[in-house]
Amino acid sequence: MKKFMFTLMAGATLVAGVNAQEGTGGADTNGSGAINGSYIATGLVAAGVVAGIVNNNSANAPVTPPGPTPQPSCEGDDPLDGDVCVGTTITVTVSGTTTITVPVTFTYAPTVQ
C-alpha cells in the first residue's frame, strides 16, 4: 500500500507539471526543440520519483520469527492416527432375549488450537 500511494503521488506530481502551451511565435519563444526550465524541473522530479521507488523496492522487510506450530487435537480420549482422529463407540441392540454389542469405529478431522 505504501508503494502504491507513493507511485500515485508521483504520478500526480508529473501530471501537474505538464501543461500545453499555446501561443503564436515571436521574440519570447524558445524556438524548435528548445528545452526550458519547467521541462528540466519535471525531469528532475521524475528522476527523484524513480530513485525513490527503486530504493523503497530494494529495502529489506523486517523478519519476524515463526511462531509455535499449532498442534492438532482430538475430542475426549480419541487417539490421533496420522492426520485423522479415530473414535470408537459401542452400539447395543436388544432383539427379543438376545443382546448384541457392536463396536463402531469412526474417523474425523482433528481441531487445530
Side-chain angles (χ1 to χ4, degrees), residues 27-98:
D28 294 336
T29 59
N30 292 332
S32 176
I35 298 176
N36 60 18
S38 65
Y39 290 127
I40 294 172
T42 302
L44 290 175
V45 169
V49 168
V50 169
I53 291 172
V54 169
N55 188 25
N56 191 26
N57 191 28
S58 64
N60 293 330
V63 177
T64 56
T69 305
Q71 298 297 321
S73 63
C74 300
E75 296 177 10
D77 59 351
D78 294 342
L80 182 63
D81 185 18
D83 292 335
V84 295
C85 295
V86 180
T88 304
T89 59
I90 305 295
T91 302
V92 177
T93 305
V94 178
S95 176
T97 59
T98 307

